[in-house]
Amino acid sequence: MTSLRRFCMTATGIAALSATLPASATTLETAFGSVEVDDDPSRVVTLYTGALDTALTTGMTPLGAVATRGGDGVPAYLSDATGDISIVGTPRETNIEAVAALKPDLILASPQLSESQYQLLSRIAPTVVPDVTPYQMDSWEQEAQVYGKALGQLDAVNEAIDEVDAQTQAIREDVADSPTASLIRWMPQGAIVMAPQIFSNTLLARSGFTVDDGDTVKEGRPHSDPLSLENLSKIDNDWLFLATLNAEGDEAYQAAKQSPAFDRLDVVQQDHVISVSGQLWTSASGPMAAQAILDDIDTAMHEMK
């Protein structure tokens, strides 16, 4: 990745790529103040999976995106829709020069984007950073609506959110007695428990589950520290949704499955362990991700009947 220092040395040249806004523009309130965007952007770069997901929801295929966590391309659930999209960084680091080379007229970034990165990106094109509090029940919806406004497609985004609401209500009718559930991501270092407030767990809660982290996640954190096999009993709930990100995580999980500590869990004995995609369940957000996660939940509930 190109360092920020190197980029700053060429900032003047990159700034020249910034397009003059047309007369038809919309002003958005963002995390870094008011931003004017073209009412009909055509060259969009997304620096956050939630932004990519939302753009695709509206029918817009961005020119560039960042790779998913644990991979070198977009999340598998979006790969068919994106085609041969340019990868311009990772969730941790954006290749600023690669973004500039695409000559975007709009950049959609993560709510966690730093101000220093914002200042660099905004030299290239109007950069939209949603002013949204993370880890709330409706954080993903608020983000999607900001991106929808930036794309001039708020109605399409709201329609997709309504479809998600209908899908969760349908699942809730099939889920009896508010069963407890946990979501973990198995890493080479062990299992980490995902916080109840993350995107996929809010969907589990809306679908009728009581999400329980066993008091393993510190306040304000997205997940716990890795648990030992012996401490897995803290999340021995009615259901366990279990994700991995890559081959190393898969191998660690397969090894853990052979241990007596894992096998004696009630949720294992009840055969209520549901394997899910880590890229989707622990790293994604947006309307398309919500529908894919709810499809997983619905499938699991019907298979267990």
Side-chain angles (χ1 to χ4, degrees):
M1 289 294 170
T2 302
S3 68
L4 293 180
R5 175 181 293 180
R6 180 179 171 191
F7 174 77
C8 289
M9 293 174 64
T10 59
T12 301
I14 291 177
L17 293 171
S18 298
T20 301
L21 285 169
S24 178
T26 296
T27 300
L28 298 178
E29 295 305 318
T30 76
F32 296 109
S34 299
V35 175
E36 284 192 327
V37 300
D38 184 349
D39 279 343
D40 188 25
S42 60
R43 301 185 63 81
V44 179
V45 170
T46 60
L47 304 180
Y48 172 53
T49 298
L52 174 62
D53 183 303
T54 303
L56 293 170
T57 297
T58 70
M60 158 67 72
T61 302
L63 301 173
V66 293
T68 184
R69 184 174 285 104
D72 54 9
V74 300
Y77 83 97
L78 295 178
S79 59
D80 287 345
T82 57
D84 190 21
I85 195 170
S86 295
I87 299 300
V88 295
T90 69
R92 291 181 178 274
E93 187 175 12
T94 300
N95 184 332
I96 304 288
E97 289 183 353
V99 173
L102 293 174
K103 300 181 180 179
D105 55 18
L106 177 65
I107 298 170
L108 303 179
S110 164
Q112 282 75 50
L113 186 76
S114 69
E115 185 170 3
S116 61
Q117 285 266 306
Y118 172 78
Q119 294 298 336
L120 296 174
L121 291 163
S122 62
R123 292 172 178 253
I124 301 169
T127 300
V128 173
V129 180
D131 187 11
V132 173
T133 303
Y135 309 130
Q136 304 298 310
M137 186 66 73
D138 61 349
S139 294
W140 73 271
E141 294 176 354
Q142 294 182 45
E143 291 172 6
Q145 287 168 334
V146 173
Y147 298 137
K149 290 177 183 177
L151 294 165
Q153 295 287 341
L154 180 58
D155 287 347
V157 170
N158 283 334
E159 182 179 340
I161 290 172
D162 288 344
E163 290 174 359
V164 170
D165 287 342
Q167 195 172 0
T168 55
Q169 183 59 39
I171 295 172
R172 178 181 283 273
E173 292 173 359
D174 287 337
V175 176
D177 302 324
S178 298
T180 55
S182 296
L183 169 63
I184 65 174
R185 183 168 71 204
W186 212 286
M187 305 291 285
Q189 303 87 347
I192 59 175
V193 184
M194 307 307 294
Q197 298 82 12
I198 73 160
F199 170 65
S200 51
N201 275 338
T202 66
L203 294 172
L204 278 171
R206 289 186 185 190
S207 299
F209 292 85
T210 299
V211 180
D212 177 22
D213 67 356
D215 293 325
T216 62
V217 183
K218 295 179 181 177
E219 185 175 354
R221 296 283 298 165
H223 56 70
S224 72
D225 293 330
L227 298 183
S228 67
L229 285 170
E230 290 71 24
N231 281 332
L232 285 177
S233 60
K234 294 182 177 180
I235 46 125
D236 193 5
N237 293 307
D238 297 321
W239 293 87
L240 176 61
F241 293 84
L242 191 150
T244 58
L245 278 178
N246 49 34
E248 289 80 6
D250 291 339
E251 291 173 4
Y253 170 51
Q254 293 303 321
K257 283 175 64 176
Q258 309 307 313
S259 75
F262 185 86
D263 191 57
R264 72 170 68 103
L265 294 172
D266 287 342
V267 70
V268 174
Q269 295 294 318
Q270 296 296 320
D271 196 25
H272 281 183
V273 179
I274 309 301
S275 295
V276 295
S277 164
Q279 290 183 3
L280 174 61
W281 276 69
T282 68
S283 296
S285 69
M288 293 177 69
Q291 291 174 351
I293 288 168
L294 292 170
D295 285 345
D296 284 347
I297 297 171
D298 189 47
T299 296
M301 294 302 98
H302 282 91
E303 286 181 350
M304 295 299 175
K305 284 187 175 181

